[in-house]
Structures are given as C-alpha cells and as structure tokens.
Amino acid sequence: MLDRLPFLIGLRYTRAKRRNHFISFISLTSMLGLSLGVAVLILVLSVMNGFDHELRTRVLGMVPHVRVEARDSVTDWETLAGKLREKPHVVGAAPYIEQQGMFTTNGRNKGALVTGIDPSAEDQVSIISEHMVQGSLADLTPGSWGIVMGELLARNLGVGVGDRVTLLVPEASITPGGIFPRLKRFTVTGIFKVGADVDASLAYTDISDMAKLARFKEGDVQGVRLKLDDLFSADQVTRDIVSQLGPQYRGMDWKRTHGNLFAAIQMEKNMIGLLLMVIVAVAAFNIVSTLVMMVTDKHADIAILRTLGARPGSIMGIFIVQGLTIGVMGIIIGAIAGVALALSVSDIIAWVQSTFGIQFLDPNVYFISYLPSRLEMSDMGIIIGSALVLSFLSTLYPAWRASRIQPAEVLRYE
C-alpha cells in the first residue's frame, strides 16, 4: 500500500476540486499550452515533410538526377547509355538535347527550357508520362515538330492541344538579308501537369527535331540523363562516372540545380522544429508554477503524511505523479489534435482556396501549388518523447521542495 501511495494521492490531487481556483486555472493553462505546442509542432513538421517528399517525387522526378555531357556532342549515345546503366545506383538512362528559348503566340511571350527527348526511353528517367493531362509523349514523332508543355506554360501562352507556337532561340542565323534570330513553329500535341514550378518552365519535343534546331549532326545528342535509386548518392556517382569516362565528358547532378532548395527545406524544418519546441518547453515548465502553488496549498497535508510515516521520496512521488498526469493529458490531447490536423490540412487548405478564391501558394513563385502534408512516426516519437521529458523535469523542483517540508514547523501553527 505504501508503494502505491504516491500514485494514488497524486491522481487524487489531480482530480480533486481545489479551494484555490487560481491553481486550477494555472493547471488548465499548462495542459492546454502543452496540447497546443505538441499539436502545432506535429502539424508544422508534417507540412515540412510534405514539402520534402514532394520535392523528391515531383520536382526531382522531372529533373534529371545526373546529366553526363560531352564537350561537343555525344555521337553514340546508345553505347554510352549502356555503359552508364551498368554503374552502381543507375536505374535508367535516356538521351537529351536542351535549348533555352522563348515561346511567342498571339502577342504573348514566355521563356522556357525546351528538351529534346526520345519518347520511348523517357520513362526510364522521368515521371512526365504519368502526369499527362492531354495527349501523350507518343505523339512526339520525328519531323512532326510537335511539342508537349507544362499546364502553366500553356495557360500563360493561351494555347491548347492543336495550337501552334513559335520558339525563338538565343542564336542568330546569318542570311543575305542580315542577321535574324532563329525560330521554329511547333504544334502543341500534349500538356502535362505535375503541380510544381516545372509546369511553367518546361517543354518537350522529339530529339531528332531538336537536333535539327540546335544544328547537331544526325544521330548526335547533347548528353545522357540518368535516374538513380538513391538521390543522395548523385554527387558520388557523378564523380565516379566522369573520372572513368575521361576529360572529354562532364557531369552535373541535381544538387547543383535544386540542392539549395532541398537544403533550405531541411534547415527550415530543423529551425522551425527547434523554435516550436520552445513553445512546448514553456508550456511544460508552467507545470512548475502549478506544483509550487500546489505544494504551498498542501503544506498541512504533507506534514500529516510525514507524521504517519511517509518518506521524503514518497512525498516527491506524489507531486511528480500529479505533474506528469497534467503533462501526459496535455500531450495526448495535443497528439490527437496534431495528427488529425496533419492528415486533413491539405484538404482544408484546398477547400479554403476553392471556396474563397485564395491562392496560398502561387506556382509561379513556389515550387508546388498546394500545401502537402506527410505524417512521420519518427517525428511523432521525438515530439512526444521530448514533451514527456520536459514535463518530468518540470516536476522535480516542486516535488523536492515538498519533500523538504518539516512536519513540526507546519503543525506548530495548525
């Protein structure tokens, strides 16, 4: 019975109505503050995880993980691609020719990166075929001068499937009549929508047509794009490939083009997590105020328990149990609320945007146009574990003060 005494009395103190309503108010405030901190921390980290996941699956699904180029051009890309597929971590290879340019039609102009691709090999390195909303990559045939563009790019130009657009490239053609910019008319054969910033800046055409526009020899390509099974090995794979192929080749991985964005998301996640953990810490340490006032209010009870034989350790246990009960209840409520919000925040934001016509994430500014959320159990464990530790630490000082109370000093005036 004596072993269970701290637990039983601690729970009774938590449930009992108090003469001092201010103590009850502080207890409730501590619990609600802890709940709010835990819920917000779970929600924000889930959103940051969602951004991280979308970056990996959508943006990096369209951006090549590794690009291998020759100094001039690659004359036998099939042989080179076969060699590269044998390298560790390489799961796909496809040729490409890239050209920066400006689309113009009906008085509208928009810059974009146009990539010549082999439609039959593109699925090995890109997810574009999974996100076609009109047409397909199979419509890109040699000599058809067809083009597939992002949904935002097509919307900004005011074109759809079947419309014609003119591509101006930043190279001049010298003719007897003078120097003129190089341009070519394309027919829109498909539109893709990934839901990221690439929808406003990418377009694809057949690689043989792009070779003619870029004045490559027949069969030559600019380089080979690679897809890896491990994104974070891209820099090491690039170094190994370039060192083995020789100085006539150069390589570039996704970390050079989009690495800063990924690093920024990771840094923001860590910093926001740290700052929000301070909210949890402040709420947890409010338990100190609650227990200090509780100890003061229960001086006589503590003295009577000591005279009945309760040890100082038992007195400490009573208030540790009471403080942890407040903390655990707050953490449970916060965890439930945080999980519910994390699982539904994407739908809530989408409903608000459609109902009130508000665009929280402009795809022309941010790399995705919606608010993603991805709940991870590892983050849940860290948040709940940290909150429990902070709650426990908050109980130690008031409990120690209670165990130091001398019965004779208290009962002398009772």
Side-chain angles (χ1 to χ4, degrees), residues 294-356:
M294 192 68 185
V295 169
T296 303
D297 189 57
K298 298 295 184 180
H299 265 47
D301 295 359
I302 295 170
I304 293 172
L305 288 172
R306 289 296 307 276
T307 58
L308 293 175
R311 300 185 301 274
S314 299
I315 302 299
M316 282 192 67
I318 291 172
F319 292 96
I320 289 176
V321 168
Q322 184 182 0
L324 282 178
T325 301
I326 296 173
V328 169
M329 291 176 63
I331 292 169
I332 291 174
I333 295 172
I336 294 173
V339 169
L341 288 172
L343 294 177
S344 59
V345 65
S346 298
D347 295 333
I348 293 173
I349 295 299
W351 177 81
V352 171
Q353 290 184 153
S354 62
T355 303
F356 298 100

Short mmCIF file of all heavy atoms in Angstrom, two decimals, residues 294-356:
data_model
loop_
_atom_site.label_atom_id
_atom_site.label_comp_id
_atom_site.label_asym_id
_atom_site.label_seq_id
_atom_site.Cartn_x
_atom_site.Cartn_y
_atom_site.Cartn_z
N MET A 294 0.66 24.34 -5.58
CA MET A 294 0.01 23.17 -5.00
C MET A 294 0.72 22.75 -3.71
O MET A 294 0.06 22.40 -2.71
CB MET A 294 0.05 22.02 -6.02
CG MET A 294 -0.83 20.85 -5.64
SD MET A 294 -2.58 21.27 -5.70
CE MET A 294 -3.26 19.75 -5.07
N VAL A 295 2.03 22.78 -3.72
CA VAL A 295 2.79 22.42 -2.52
C VAL A 295 2.47 23.39 -1.40
O VAL A 295 2.29 22.99 -0.24
CB VAL A 295 4.30 22.41 -2.84
CG1 VAL A 295 5.12 22.31 -1.55
CG2 VAL A 295 4.64 21.25 -3.77
N THR A 296 2.41 24.67 -1.72
CA THR A 296 2.09 25.68 -0.70
C THR A 296 0.69 25.45 -0.13
O THR A 296 0.46 25.58 1.08
CB THR A 296 2.18 27.08 -1.32
OG1 THR A 296 3.48 27.28 -1.86
CG2 THR A 296 1.89 28.15 -0.27
N ASP A 297 -0.24 25.07 -1.01
CA ASP A 297 -1.61 24.85 -0.59
C ASP A 297 -1.76 23.59 0.26
O ASP A 297 -2.69 23.49 1.08
CB ASP A 297 -2.51 24.76 -1.82
CG ASP A 297 -3.98 24.76 -1.48
OD1 ASP A 297 -4.43 25.72 -0.82
OD2 ASP A 297 -4.68 23.80 -1.89
N LYS A 298 -0.84 22.62 0.07
CA LYS A 298 -0.96 21.32 0.74
C LYS A 298 0.07 21.13 1.85
O LYS A 298 0.40 19.99 2.19
CB LYS A 298 -0.81 20.20 -0.30
CG LYS A 298 -1.88 20.20 -1.38
CD LYS A 298 -3.27 19.92 -0.81
CE LYS A 298 -4.31 19.82 -1.92
NZ LYS A 298 -5.66 19.56 -1.38
N HIS A 299 0.57 22.21 2.40
CA HIS A 299 1.56 22.09 3.48
C HIS A 299 1.05 21.20 4.61
O HIS A 299 1.78 20.31 5.09
CB HIS A 299 1.91 23.48 4.04
CG HIS A 299 3.13 24.07 3.41
ND1 HIS A 299 3.33 24.08 2.06
CD2 HIS A 299 4.22 24.66 3.97
CE1 HIS A 299 4.48 24.66 1.79
NE2 HIS A 299 5.06 25.02 2.93
N ALA A 300 -0.16 21.43 5.05
CA ALA A 300 -0.70 20.67 6.18
C ALA A 300 -0.84 19.18 5.82
O ALA A 300 -0.50 18.30 6.62
CB ALA A 300 -2.05 21.25 6.61
N ASP A 301 -1.33 18.91 4.62
CA ASP A 301 -1.46 17.51 4.19
C ASP A 301 -0.12 16.80 4.15
O ASP A 301 0.01 15.64 4.57
CB ASP A 301 -2.11 17.44 2.81
CG ASP A 301 -3.54 17.95 2.80
OD1 ASP A 301 -4.02 18.34 3.88
OD2 ASP A 301 -4.16 17.94 1.72
N ILE A 302 0.88 17.51 3.66
CA ILE A 302 2.21 16.91 3.58
C ILE A 302 2.75 16.62 4.99
O ILE A 302 3.33 15.55 5.25
CB ILE A 302 3.17 17.85 2.82
CG1 ILE A 302 2.71 18.00 1.37
CG2 ILE A 302 4.60 17.34 2.88
CD1 ILE A 302 3.44 19.09 0.60
N ALA A 303 2.55 17.57 5.89
CA ALA A 303 3.03 17.38 7.25
C ALA A 303 2.35 16.18 7.91
O ALA A 303 3.00 15.38 8.61
CB ALA A 303 2.79 18.65 8.07
N ILE A 304 1.05 16.03 7.71
CA ILE A 304 0.32 14.89 8.30
C ILE A 304 0.83 13.58 7.72
O ILE A 304 1.03 12.58 8.43
CB ILE A 304 -1.19 15.05 8.06
CG1 ILE A 304 -1.72 16.25 8.86
CG2 ILE A 304 -1.94 13.79 8.44
CD1 ILE A 304 -3.15 16.62 8.55
N LEU A 305 1.07 13.53 6.42
CA LEU A 305 1.59 12.32 5.80
C LEU A 305 2.96 11.97 6.35
O LEU A 305 3.28 10.78 6.57
CB LEU A 305 1.66 12.50 4.27
CG LEU A 305 0.32 12.52 3.52
CD1 LEU A 305 0.53 12.90 2.06
CD2 LEU A 305 -0.35 11.14 3.62
N ARG A 306 3.78 13.00 6.58
CA ARG A 306 5.11 12.72 7.13
C ARG A 306 5.01 12.15 8.54
O ARG A 306 5.76 11.23 8.91
CB ARG A 306 5.95 14.01 7.16
CG ARG A 306 6.40 14.50 5.80
CD ARG A 306 7.36 13.50 5.13
NE ARG A 306 8.48 13.15 5.98
CZ ARG A 306 9.59 13.90 6.08
NH1 ARG A 306 9.71 15.01 5.37
NH2 ARG A 306 10.58 13.52 6.88
N THR A 307 4.09 12.68 9.35
CA THR A 307 3.94 12.16 10.72
C THR A 307 3.38 10.74 10.72
O THR A 307 3.61 9.98 11.68
CB THR A 307 3.00 13.07 11.54
OG1 THR A 307 1.74 13.14 10.88
CG2 THR A 307 3.59 14.46 11.68
N LEU A 308 2.65 10.37 9.65
CA LEU A 308 2.13 9.00 9.55
C LEU A 308 3.15 8.03 9.00
O LEU A 308 2.86 6.83 8.84
CB LEU A 308 0.89 8.98 8.65
CG LEU A 308 -0.35 9.71 9.20
CD1 LEU A 308 -1.47 9.72 8.16
CD2 LEU A 308 -0.83 9.03 10.48
N GLY A 309 4.34 8.52 8.66
CA GLY A 309 5.40 7.62 8.23
C GLY A 309 5.80 7.71 6.78
O GLY A 309 6.63 6.91 6.31
N ALA A 310 5.23 8.63 6.05
CA ALA A 310 5.59 8.77 4.64
C ALA A 310 7.02 9.27 4.51
O ALA A 310 7.42 10.22 5.21
CB ALA A 310 4.63 9.71 3.94
N ARG A 311 7.80 8.67 3.65
CA ARG A 311 9.19 9.07 3.44
C ARG A 311 9.26 10.27 2.51
O ARG A 311 8.33 10.52 1.71
CB ARG A 311 9.99 7.92 2.84
CG ARG A 311 10.02 6.66 3.73
CD ARG A 311 10.93 5.61 3.12
NE ARG A 311 10.50 5.23 1.78
CZ ARG A 311 9.61 4.30 1.53
NH1 ARG A 311 9.02 3.65 2.54
NH2 ARG A 311 9.25 4.00 0.28
N PRO A 312 10.36 11.03 2.54
CA PRO A 312 10.52 12.16 1.61
C PRO A 312 10.38 11.73 0.15
O PRO A 312 9.83 12.46 -0.67
CB PRO A 312 11.92 12.69 1.92
CG PRO A 312 12.15 12.31 3.34
CD PRO A 312 11.46 11.00 3.53
N GLY A 313 10.89 10.53 -0.16
CA GLY A 313 10.77 10.04 -1.53
C GLY A 313 9.32 9.85 -1.95
O GLY A 313 8.94 10.07 -3.10
N SER A 314 8.48 9.41 -1.00
CA SER A 314 7.06 9.23 -1.30
C SER A 314 6.38 10.57 -1.55
O SER A 314 5.51 10.69 -2.43
CB SER A 314 6.36 8.50 -0.15
OG SER A 314 6.92 7.21 0.04
N ILE A 315 6.77 11.57 -0.76
CA ILE A 315 6.20 12.91 -0.97
C ILE A 315 6.59 13.43 -2.35
O ILE A 315 5.77 14.01 -3.07
CB ILE A 315 6.68 13.86 0.14
CG1 ILE A 315 6.28 13.33 1.52
CG2 ILE A 315 6.13 15.26 -0.09
CD1 ILE A 315 4.79 13.19 1.71
N MET A 316 7.86 13.24 -2.73
CA MET A 316 8.29 13.65 -4.06
C MET A 316 7.47 12.93 -5.14
O MET A 316 7.04 13.53 -6.13
CB MET A 316 9.78 13.33 -4.27
CG MET A 316 10.74 14.30 -3.64
SD MET A 316 12.44 14.05 -4.22
CE MET A 316 12.31 14.53 -5.95
N GLY A 317 7.25 11.63 -4.92
CA GLY A 317 6.50 10.85 -5.90
C GLY A 317 5.09 11.36 -6.11
O GLY A 317 4.57 11.34 -7.24
N ILE A 318 4.45 11.86 -5.03
CA ILE A 318 3.08 12.36 -5.15
C ILE A 318 3.01 13.51 -6.15
O ILE A 318 2.17 13.53 -7.05
CB ILE A 318 2.57 12.83 -3.76
CG1 ILE A 318 2.38 11.63 -2.84
CG2 ILE A 318 1.28 13.63 -3.91
CD1 ILE A 318 2.06 12.01 -1.41
N PHE A 319 3.92 14.46 -6.03
CA PHE A 319 3.86 15.64 -6.90
C PHE A 319 4.45 15.37 -8.28
O PHE A 319 4.06 16.03 -9.25
CB PHE A 319 4.55 16.81 -6.20
CG PHE A 319 3.79 17.29 -4.99
CD1 PHE A 319 4.13 16.84 -3.72
CD2 PHE A 319 2.72 18.14 -5.12
CE1 PHE A 319 3.43 17.25 -2.60
CE2 PHE A 319 2.01 18.56 -4.02
CZ PHE A 319 2.35 18.11 -2.75
N ILE A 320 5.35 14.41 -8.37
CA ILE A 320 5.82 14.01 -9.71
C ILE A 320 4.67 13.36 -10.48
O ILE A 320 4.46 13.65 -11.67
CB ILE A 320 7.02 13.05 -9.59
CG1 ILE A 320 8.25 13.80 -9.11
CG2 ILE A 320 7.29 12.37 -10.92
CD1 ILE A 320 9.46 12.92 -8.86
N VAL A 321 3.90 12.50 -9.80
CA VAL A 321 2.75 11.87 -10.45
C VAL A 321 1.73 12.92 -10.86
O VAL A 321 1.18 12.87 -11.98
CB VAL A 321 2.10 10.84 -9.50
CG1 VAL A 321 0.74 10.39 -10.04
CG2 VAL A 321 3.01 9.63 -9.33
N GLN A 322 1.47 13.89 -9.99
CA GLN A 322 0.50 14.93 -10.32
C GLN A 322 0.95 15.74 -11.54
O GLN A 322 0.18 15.99 -12.47
CB GLN A 322 0.28 15.85 -9.13
CG GLN A 322 -0.80 16.90 -9.40
CD GLN A 322 -0.98 17.86 -8.24
OE1 GLN A 322 -0.29 17.75 -7.22
NE2 GLN A 322 -1.89 18.79 -8.39
N GLY A 323 2.23 16.15 -11.56
CA GLY A 323 2.74 16.94 -12.69
C GLY A 323 2.75 16.15 -13.98
O GLY A 323 2.38 16.66 -15.05
N LEU A 324 3.16 14.86 -13.89
CA LEU A 324 3.18 14.04 -15.10
C LEU A 324 1.77 13.77 -15.61
O LEU A 324 1.56 13.63 -16.82
CB LEU A 324 3.90 12.72 -14.82
CG LEU A 324 5.42 12.78 -14.78
CD1 LEU A 324 6.01 11.42 -14.44
CD2 LEU A 324 5.99 13.27 -16.12
N THR A 325 0.80 13.67 -14.71
CA THR A 325 -0.58 13.47 -15.15
C THR A 325 -1.06 14.65 -15.98
O THR A 325 -1.67 14.48 -17.05
CB THR A 325 -1.51 13.28 -13.94
OG1 THR A 325 -1.07 12.15 -13.18
CG2 THR A 325 -2.94 13.06 -14.39
N ILE A 326 -0.76 15.86 -15.50
CA ILE A 326 -1.11 17.05 -16.27
C ILE A 326 -0.40 17.04 -17.62
O ILE A 326 -0.99 17.30 -18.68
CB ILE A 326 -0.75 18.33 -15.48
CG1 ILE A 326 -1.58 18.41 -14.19
CG2 ILE A 326 -0.95 19.57 -16.34
CD1 ILE A 326 -1.16 19.54 -13.26
N GLY A 327 0.91 16.71 -17.60
CA GLY A 327 1.68 16.69 -18.83
C GLY A 327 1.20 15.63 -19.82
O GLY A 327 1.05 15.91 -21.01
N VAL A 328 0.95 14.42 -19.32
CA VAL A 328 0.52 13.33 -20.21
C VAL A 328 -0.84 13.64 -20.83
O VAL A 328 -1.05 13.41 -22.03
CB VAL A 328 0.48 12.00 -19.44
CG1 VAL A 328 -0.22 10.93 -20.26
CG2 VAL A 328 1.90 11.55 -19.09
N MET A 329 -1.76 14.18 -20.04
CA MET A 329 -3.07 14.53 -20.59
C MET A 329 -2.93 15.59 -21.68
O MET A 329 -3.57 15.50 -22.74
CB MET A 329 -3.99 15.02 -19.48
CG MET A 329 -4.40 13.93 -18.49
SD MET A 329 -5.40 14.57 -17.12
CE MET A 329 -6.83 15.16 -18.00
N GLY A 330 -2.10 16.58 -21.43
CA GLY A 330 -1.88 17.62 -22.44
C GLY A 330 -1.24 17.06 -23.70
O GLY A 330 -1.62 17.42 -24.82
N ILE A 331 -0.26 16.17 -23.54
CA ILE A 331 0.43 15.58 -24.69
C ILE A 331 -0.52 14.72 -25.50
O ILE A 331 -0.52 14.75 -26.74
CB ILE A 331 1.64 14.77 -24.21
CG1 ILE A 331 2.72 15.70 -23.64
CG2 ILE A 331 2.22 13.94 -25.35
CD1 ILE A 331 3.83 14.98 -22.91
N ILE A 332 -1.37 13.92 -24.82
CA ILE A 332 -2.32 13.06 -25.54
C ILE A 332 -3.31 13.89 -26.35
O ILE A 332 -3.56 13.62 -27.54
CB ILE A 332 -3.07 12.15 -24.55
CG1 ILE A 332 -2.11 11.11 -23.96
CG2 ILE A 332 -4.23 11.45 -25.24
CD1 ILE A 332 -2.73 10.26 -22.87
N ILE A 333 -3.85 14.93 -25.72
CA ILE A 333 -4.80 15.80 -26.44
C ILE A 333 -4.10 16.46 -27.63
O ILE A 333 -4.64 16.52 -28.74
CB ILE A 333 -5.38 16.85 -25.48
CG1 ILE A 333 -6.22 16.18 -24.39
CG2 ILE A 333 -6.21 17.87 -26.25
CD1 ILE A 333 -6.68 17.13 -23.29
N GLY A 334 -2.88 16.97 -27.40
CA GLY A 334 -2.14 17.63 -28.48
C GLY A 334 -1.79 16.68 -29.60
O GLY A 334 -1.85 17.04 -30.78
N ALA A 335 -1.40 15.44 -29.25
CA ALA A 335 -1.03 14.46 -30.28
C ALA A 335 -2.24 14.11 -31.14
O ALA A 335 -2.14 14.03 -32.37
CB ALA A 335 -0.46 13.21 -29.63
N ILE A 336 -3.39 13.91 -30.51
CA ILE A 336 -4.60 13.58 -31.27
C ILE A 336 -4.98 14.73 -32.20
O ILE A 336 -5.27 14.52 -33.39
CB ILE A 336 -5.75 13.24 -30.31
CG1 ILE A 336 -5.45 11.94 -29.55
CG2 ILE A 336 -7.07 13.10 -31.08
CD1 ILE A 336 -6.46 11.63 -28.47
N ALA A 337 -4.94 15.95 -31.66
CA ALA A 337 -5.29 17.11 -32.48
C ALA A 337 -4.27 17.31 -33.60
O ALA A 337 -4.64 17.62 -34.74
CB ALA A 337 -5.36 18.37 -31.61
N GLY A 338 -2.97 17.14 -33.30
CA GLY A 338 -1.93 17.31 -34.31
C GLY A 338 -2.04 16.31 -35.43
O GLY A 338 -1.91 16.66 -36.61
N VAL A 339 -2.30 15.04 -35.09
CA VAL A 339 -2.45 14.01 -36.11
C VAL A 339 -3.67 14.29 -36.99
O VAL A 339 -3.61 14.17 -38.23
CB VAL A 339 -2.56 12.62 -35.46
CG1 VAL A 339 -2.98 11.58 -36.49
CG2 VAL A 339 -1.24 12.23 -34.81
N ALA A 340 -4.79 14.69 -36.36
CA ALA A 340 -6.00 14.99 -37.13
C ALA A 340 -5.76 16.15 -38.10
O ALA A 340 -6.18 16.10 -39.26
CB ALA A 340 -7.16 15.32 -36.18
N LEU A 341 -5.06 17.19 -37.63
CA LEU A 341 -4.78 18.34 -38.50
C LEU A 341 -3.80 17.97 -39.60
O LEU A 341 -3.96 18.39 -40.76
CB LEU A 341 -4.23 19.49 -37.66
CG LEU A 341 -5.23 20.22 -36.77
CD1 LEU A 341 -4.51 21.21 -35.87
CD2 LEU A 341 -6.27 20.95 -37.61
N ALA A 342 -2.77 17.20 -39.25
CA ALA A 342 -1.77 16.82 -40.25
C ALA A 342 -2.38 15.99 -41.37
O ALA A 342 -1.98 16.12 -42.53
CB ALA A 342 -0.63 16.05 -39.58
N LEU A 343 -3.34 15.13 -41.04
CA LEU A 343 -3.96 14.28 -42.05
C LEU A 343 -4.99 15.01 -42.90
O LEU A 343 -5.34 14.55 -44.00
CB LEU A 343 -4.63 13.08 -41.37
CG LEU A 343 -3.69 12.09 -40.67
CD1 LEU A 343 -4.49 11.00 -39.99
CD2 LEU A 343 -2.68 11.49 -41.64
N SER A 344 -5.47 16.15 -42.43
CA SER A 344 -6.55 16.84 -43.15
C SER A 344 -6.19 18.24 -43.62
O SER A 344 -7.01 18.89 -44.29
CB SER A 344 -7.80 16.93 -42.26
OG SER A 344 -7.51 17.63 -41.05
N VAL A 345 -4.99 18.74 -43.28
CA VAL A 345 -4.67 20.13 -43.60
C VAL A 345 -4.66 20.39 -45.10
O VAL A 345 -5.07 21.46 -45.56
CB VAL A 345 -3.31 20.52 -42.96
CG1 VAL A 345 -2.17 19.72 -43.57
CG2 VAL A 345 -3.05 22.01 -43.11
N SER A 346 -4.23 19.41 -45.90
CA SER A 346 -4.21 19.60 -47.36
C SER A 346 -5.63 19.81 -47.89
O SER A 346 -5.87 20.70 -48.71
CB SER A 346 -3.56 18.41 -48.05
OG SER A 346 -2.21 18.26 -47.63
N ASP A 347 -6.58 18.99 -47.42
CA ASP A 347 -7.97 19.13 -47.85
C ASP A 347 -8.58 20.43 -47.34
O ASP A 347 -9.37 21.07 -48.05
CB ASP A 347 -8.78 17.94 -47.36
CG ASP A 347 -8.33 16.62 -47.99
OD1 ASP A 347 -7.80 16.66 -49.11
OD2 ASP A 347 -8.48 15.56 -47.34
N ILE A 348 -8.23 20.82 -46.11
CA ILE A 348 -8.77 22.06 -45.55
C ILE A 348 -8.30 23.26 -46.36
O ILE A 348 -9.10 24.14 -46.72
CB ILE A 348 -8.35 22.20 -44.07
CG1 ILE A 348 -9.02 21.12 -43.21
CG2 ILE A 348 -8.70 23.58 -43.54
CD1 ILE A 348 -8.53 21.09 -41.78
N ILE A 349 -7.00 23.31 -46.66
CA ILE A 349 -6.46 24.44 -47.43
C ILE A 349 -7.05 24.45 -48.84
O ILE A 349 -7.38 25.51 -49.38
CB ILE A 349 -4.93 24.36 -47.47
CG1 ILE A 349 -4.35 24.54 -46.06
CG2 ILE A 349 -4.37 25.42 -48.41
CD1 ILE A 349 -4.68 25.86 -45.42
N ALA A 350 -7.19 23.26 -49.46
CA ALA A 350 -7.78 23.19 -50.80
C ALA A 350 -9.22 23.70 -50.78
O ALA A 350 -9.66 24.40 -51.71
CB ALA A 350 -7.72 21.76 -51.31
N TRP A 351 -9.98 23.35 -49.73
CA TRP A 351 -11.37 23.83 -49.61
C TRP A 351 -11.42 25.34 -49.44
O TRP A 351 -12.25 26.02 -50.07
CB TRP A 351 -12.05 23.15 -48.43
CG TRP A 351 -13.45 23.62 -48.20
CD1 TRP A 351 -14.59 23.23 -48.85
CD2 TRP A 351 -13.87 24.63 -47.25
NE1 TRP A 351 -15.68 23.91 -48.37
CE2 TRP A 351 -15.27 24.78 -47.40
CE3 TRP A 351 -13.19 25.40 -46.32
CZ2 TRP A 351 -16.00 25.67 -46.62
CZ3 TRP A 351 -13.91 26.30 -45.55
CH2 TRP A 351 -15.30 26.43 -45.70
N VAL A 352 -10.53 25.88 -48.62
CA VAL A 352 -10.49 27.33 -48.41
C VAL A 352 -10.15 28.04 -49.71
O VAL A 352 -10.75 29.07 -50.06
CB VAL A 352 -9.46 27.69 -47.31
CG1 VAL A 352 -9.25 29.20 -47.24
CG2 VAL A 352 -9.92 27.16 -45.96
N GLN A 353 -9.18 27.49 -50.47
CA GLN A 353 -8.79 28.11 -51.74
C GLN A 353 -9.94 28.11 -52.75
O GLN A 353 -10.17 29.11 -53.43
CB GLN A 353 -7.57 27.38 -52.33
CG GLN A 353 -6.30 27.61 -51.54
CD GLN A 353 -5.09 26.97 -52.20
OE1 GLN A 353 -3.96 27.41 -52.04
NE2 GLN A 353 -5.31 25.91 -52.96
N SER A 354 -10.64 26.97 -52.84
CA SER A 354 -11.73 26.88 -53.82
C SER A 354 -12.95 27.69 -53.39
O SER A 354 -13.65 28.24 -54.23
CB SER A 354 -12.12 25.41 -54.02
OG SER A 354 -12.59 24.84 -52.80
N THR A 355 -13.20 27.77 -52.08
CA THR A 355 -14.38 28.48 -51.59
C THR A 355 -14.22 29.99 -51.65
O THR A 355 -15.13 30.71 -52.08
CB THR A 355 -14.69 28.05 -50.14
OG1 THR A 355 -14.88 26.63 -50.10
CG2 THR A 355 -15.96 28.74 -49.64
N PHE A 356 -13.05 30.47 -51.23
CA PHE A 356 -12.85 31.92 -51.14
C PHE A 356 -11.97 32.48 -52.27
O PHE A 356 -11.70 33.67 -52.30
CB PHE A 356 -12.20 32.26 -49.79
CG PHE A 356 -13.06 31.88 -48.61
CD1 PHE A 356 -12.80 30.72 -47.89
CD2 PHE A 356 -14.13 32.68 -48.22
CE1 PHE A 356 -13.59 30.35 -46.80
CE2 PHE A 356 -14.92 32.33 -47.14
CZ PHE A 356 -14.65 31.17 -46.42
#
